[in-house]
């Protein structure tokens, strides 16, 4: 039986507005067009691994409203299992605002989910040995519990760290969370905020791993500059190919999905890093992220 990849975290409906240029402080911009999308960290991750033929299941919750119906229908159309998504009675589905400019850069306004609702995510998680479990740091207690039970079952675990969650919950619970992560994915913004970037990103990644005693793989995404991959197999700086960005929303999730998918398939640390950089680059450029295309680009890095 092929492994299942379980993805945990809040789902939301994204209201996307397209502008020519992101407005600055006290600035204005015309909206060129707008659209509604199913969104949230688990969705981009799950879509990627589903596209690569993996069995994927999202563990989350949505409100008992039209936006919740919209998200579940979208996921079903994408071939993603939704039985572990709870309908929260008497509650509206959270909504985010995404402002996207002509260069593919964006600003995101995130509506926080109630902590009691966050704590319920992952309660029904029951992975098998060889499965993958991926999550962002949506709530330290819920995430730590989910990752601990997943590793006890023999699943490979991945956690994504981003600033909004770190600012909300603080640095205190981070040590316990990362102790149960086989793979930690974060970005240069978090790296700079947590340990500072004095010297190179490679040196900063080394300080991050040392500070949090991370024994697993550590991936630092650097946007157009590629990524730093750090683990027991070595330390690698992987440059990204030059692409014209179309939409960067979900690029980090695509990176993490490709890294986990490759590692579950037996790829080395370096090869998984190259696949992750390739998948994120193709995604940002709006090109095919079929695994054959990912593998071809990774081979050229």
């Amino acid at each position: 039986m092929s492994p299942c990849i379980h993805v945990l975290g809040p789902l939301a409906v994204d209201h996307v507005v397209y502008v020519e240029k992101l407005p600055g402080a006290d600035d204005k911009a015309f909206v060129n067009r707008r659209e509604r999308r199913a969104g949230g960290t688990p969705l981009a991750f799950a879509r990627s691994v589903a596209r690569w033929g993996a069995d994927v299941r999202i563990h989350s919750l949505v409100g008992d409203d039209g936006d919740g119906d919209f998200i579940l229908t979208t996921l079903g159309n994408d071939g993603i299992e939704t039985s572990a998504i709870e309908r929260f009675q008497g509650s509206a589905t959270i909504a985010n605002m995404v402002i996207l400019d002509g260069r593919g850069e964006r600003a995101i306004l995130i509506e926080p989910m109630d902590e009691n609702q966050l704590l319920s995510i992952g309660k029904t998680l029951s992975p098998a040995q060889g499965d993958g479990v991926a999550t962002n740091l949506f709530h330290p207690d819920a995430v730590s519990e989910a990752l601990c039970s997943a590793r006890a079952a023999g699943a490979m675990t991945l956690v994504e760290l981003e600033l909004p969650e770190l600012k909300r919950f603080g640095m205190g619970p981070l040590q316990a969370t990362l102790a149960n992560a086989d793979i930690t994915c974060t970005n240069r913004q978090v790296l700079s905020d947590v340990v500072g970037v004095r010297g190179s990103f490679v040196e900063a990644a080394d300080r991050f791993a040392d500070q949090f005693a991370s024994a697993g793989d550590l991936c630092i995404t650097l946007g157009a500059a590629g990524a730093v991959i750090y683990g027991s197999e070595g330390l690698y700086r992987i440059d990204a190919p030059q692409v014209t960005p179309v939409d960067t929303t979900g690029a980090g999730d695509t990176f993490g999905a490709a890294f986990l998918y490759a590692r579950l398939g037996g790829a080395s640390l370096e090869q998984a890093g190259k696949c992750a950089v390739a998948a994120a680059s193709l995604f940002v450029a709006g090109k095919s992220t079929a695994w054959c295309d990912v593998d071809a680009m990774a081979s050229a890095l």
Side-chain angles (χ1 to χ4, degrees), residues 29 34 43 47 84 130 172 203 244 256 262 279 281:
R34 61 183 180 178
L43 192 141
R47 272 181 171 156
E203 292 169 333
T244 300
S281 299

Side-chain angles (χ1 to χ4, degrees), residues 59-61 84 86 88 113-124 138 142:
H59 300 253
S60 188
L61 56 86
E86 180 186 355
F88 210 85
M113 184 177 284
D114 179 80
E115 285 202 37
N116 289 327
Q117 295 180 7
L118 291 175
L119 280 168
S120 71
I121 296 176
K123 291 296 185 182
T124 61
F138 61 85

Side-chain angles (χ1 to χ4, degrees), residues 85-103:
I85 299 176
E86 180 186 355
R87 301 301 298 266
F88 210 85
Q89 299 301 310
S91 179
T93 301
I94 61 173
N96 301 328
M97 175 68 73
V98 181
I99 307 172
L100 187 66
D101 74 7
R103 299 170 298 174

Side-chain angles (χ1 to χ4, degrees), residues 46-299:
R47 272 181 171 156
S48 292
V49 292
R51 189 178 301 118
W52 300 327
D55 180 18
V56 58
R57 176 171 299 186
I58 289 183
H59 300 253
S60 188
L61 56 86
V62 295
D64 59 345
D65 56 2
D67 284 341
D69 294 337
F70 171 69
I71 289 172
L72 292 176
T73 298
T74 300
L75 291 173
N77 291 339
D78 289 340
I80 297 170
E81 174 62 51
T82 62
S83 61
I85 299 176
E86 180 186 355
R87 301 301 298 266
F88 210 85
Q89 299 301 310
S91 179
T93 301
I94 61 173
N96 301 328
M97 175 68 73
V98 181
I99 307 172
L100 187 66
D101 74 7
R103 299 170 298 174
E105 298 298 326
R106 84 284 195 217
I108 305 176
L109 303 177
I110 300 172
E111 180 182 3
M113 184 177 284
D114 179 80
E115 285 202 37
N116 289 327
Q117 295 180 7
L118 291 175
L119 280 168
S120 71
I121 296 176
K123 291 296 185 182
T124 61
L125 178 67
S126 183
Q129 184 171 359
D131 283 355
V133 175
T135 180
N136 66 316
L137 187 65
F138 61 85
H139 190 285
D141 293 339
V143 168
S144 293
E145 182 179 335
L147 295 182
C148 184
S149 63
R151 291 189 86 185
M156 183 179 291
T157 58
L158 177 149
V159 63
E160 290 186 306
L161 303 178
E162 293 189 325
L163 279 182
E165 289 79 19
L166 289 178
K167 296 293 187 184
R168 181 178 184 183
F169 299 111
M171 299 298 298
L174 198 56
Q175 187 74 60
T177 301
L178 297 188
N180 287 304
D182 294 308
I183 302 166
T184 301
C185 290
T186 190
N187 53 48
R188 58 184 173 188
Q189 289 85 4
V190 171
L191 195 68
S192 178
D193 192 76
V194 173
V195 298
V197 181
R198 302 182 303 276
S200 70
F201 284 110
V202 169
E203 292 169 333
D206 186 61
R207 291 196 302 275
F208 185 98
D210 182 64
Q211 178 173 334
F212 294 101
S214 174
D217 301 339
L218 173 62
C219 304
I220 311 290
T221 59
L222 307 175
V228 172
I229 311 297
Y230 184 102
S232 59
E233 298 173 36
L235 190 153
Y236 303 94
R237 172 66 189 267
I238 301 171
D239 293 326
Q242 287 190 338
V243 298
T244 300
V246 174
D247 187 351
T248 58
T249 306
D253 304 317
T254 303
F255 178 100
F259 191 90
L260 177 61
Y261 183 78
R263 284 302 246 173
L264 284 171
S268 67
L269 179 68
E270 182 182 20
Q271 183 59 28
K274 288 182 176 181
C275 288
V277 168
S281 299
L282 291 168
F283 178 86
V284 166
K287 297 182 178 179
S288 167
T289 55
W291 194 253
C292 58
D293 298 311
V294 171
D295 191 51
M297 179 176 280
S299 298

